[in-house]
Amino acid sequence: MIKGGPKTDLQVKHHVQSILISQPKPETEKSPYYDLAKKFNVKLDFFPFIRVEGLSAKDFRKQKIDILNFTAVIFTSRNSVDHFFRVCEEMKIKVSQDCKYFCITEAVALYLQKFILYRKRKVFYGADGSTKSLLEVMNKHRDNEKFLFPSSDSQKKDIEEWLKANKCEYATATLYKTVSNDVKEILSTKEYDMIVFFSPSGVRSLFENLPQYQQNGTRIGAFGPSTSAAVEEAGLRLDVKAPAPQAPSMVAALEQYLSELNKK
């Protein structure tokens, strides 16, 4: 529960028994999250802190951006991929087969296979999932491409700043927006030993719902560098961080953390 005084040191060190994953419940029982829950005898609840709402083609046209004017597209999430191709379909735009795609992670790059014929010579991604590694890849192409950056209403400012600083030809296109879900009930009726976030918007949703939120002894997990930064900027203590060299996924990071915790 949110209310109540700070937990004691003894309580903070206690084994994690319940985790709130701020994402929708997996569609299949084969999700590695369920294996994790079984292995460590942990109760997992899934509840998305945010939802994504796409902009209509009509609203996109108001931005006066011609998608066909660009030779490269930057994707920082699967949402950006989904909504880019959705808008293209709504506007009956056929993207050139020569278009290049720069993706924040390999997972996002592979997700493109839903929409395009995947060829490595036109799909690029950062080595470790960080914005820095993505920018290193883009740097090799910056003089020859016109970049389109499809994003939400809260896009990664560091990418836009890099494009501007390097005098790249580019445009940012808002294709969807993130909206906070009502999480007050689930957080006020249950007490979780850990909450796991997957986007800065999820962290923002927590404080929009509960402005007086106090972390006390609750552990916090975060996936992605921007999410980790948002957690720390909010004044929260970050306990589990992914991706990491030995933990490329959130499940792997949680498994590592719980294993270490159980040794204590």
Side-chain angles (χ1 to χ4, degrees), residues 6-252:
K7 296 185 179 181
T8 65
D9 289 343
L10 183 62
Q11 286 174 300
V12 172
K13 291 175 184 175
H14 195 274
H15 292 175
V16 171
Q17 296 176 318
S18 60
I19 303 176
L20 177 58
I21 307 292
S22 62
Q23 282 192 325
K25 187 177 181 178
E27 294 178 358
T28 170
E29 293 297 321
K30 293 181 179 179
S31 167
Y33 278 110
Y34 295 125
D35 296 332
L36 182 83
K38 188 175 180 181
K39 180 176 180 179
F40 294 97
N41 193 26
V42 173
K43 175 76 168 70
L44 294 184
D45 280 346
F46 296 88
F47 192 92
F49 278 36
I50 58 171
R51 66 184 185 274
V52 172
E53 296 181 354
L55 263 68
S56 66
K58 180 182 177 182
D59 286 335
F60 173 72
R61 286 191 184 94
K62 294 175 183 176
Q63 298 176 56
K64 296 184 171 16
I65 292 173
D66 185 348
I67 290 174
L68 295 178
N69 278 345
F70 299 89
T71 60
V73 186
I74 304 164
F75 290 125
T76 56
S77 69
R78 291 183 181 186
N79 276 327
S80 61
V81 176
D82 282 335
H83 288 283
F84 173 75
F85 287 102
R86 173 188 60 79
V87 167
C88 286
E89 186 177 350
E90 286 182 20
M91 297 177 68
K92 296 181 170 52
I93 292 172
K94 188 172 177 59
V95 181
S96 169
Q97 291 188 358
D98 296 323
C99 185
K100 294 186 175 69
Y101 300 95
F102 294 86
C103 305
I104 189 79
T105 62
E106 183 180 11
V108 172
L110 292 172
Y111 187 67
L112 277 169
Q113 292 177 108
K114 280 186 63 177
F115 304 94
I116 66 166
L117 184 62
Y118 189 95
R119 295 202 303 272
K120 288 188 176 179
R121 67 180 178 84
K122 70 172 185 177
V123 180
F124 308 88
Y125 52 87
D128 61 7
S130 68
T131 302
K132 182 184 176 191
S133 65
L134 171 62
L135 295 177
E136 287 171 356
V137 175
M138 288 170 54
N139 192 49
K140 300 171 185 175
H141 301 265
R142 70 182 193 191
D143 295 329
N144 303 315
E145 307 296 340
K146 291 178 69 175
F147 294 96
L148 180 63
F149 183 22
S151 63
S152 70
D153 51 343
S154 55
Q155 81 264 11
K156 288 177 176 290
K157 300 292 184 187
D158 41 2
I159 291 179
E160 191 171 4
E161 287 167 3
W162 182 90
L163 290 164
K164 193 179 296 182
N166 285 277
K167 297 182 171 55
C168 298
E169 285 193 76
Y170 80 96
T172 55
T174 301
L175 299 181
Y176 59 99
K177 58 183 178 179
T178 52
V179 180
S180 295
N181 282 330
D182 186 349
V183 299
K184 290 189 285 292
E185 184 175 349
I186 191 169
L187 287 174
S188 60
T189 57
K190 289 189 179 181
E191 183 173 353
Y192 292 98
D193 297 318
M194 179 184 289
I195 302 174
V196 180
F197 294 99
F198 296 85
S199 71
S201 301
V203 180
R204 187 172 69 242
S205 174
L206 172 66
F207 286 97
E208 284 181 0
N209 278 275
L210 300 160
Q212 305 303 317
Y213 176 77
Q214 296 293 319
Q215 182 177 4
N216 298 330
T218 304
R219 297 169 178 85
I220 299 290
F223 185 81
S226 58
T227 309
S228 297
V231 166
E232 291 174 335
E233 285 167 11
L236 301 174
R237 184 191 67 255
L238 182 59
D239 301 284
V240 183
K241 191 175 180 179
Q246 303 302 318
S249 68
M250 196 68 237
V251 171

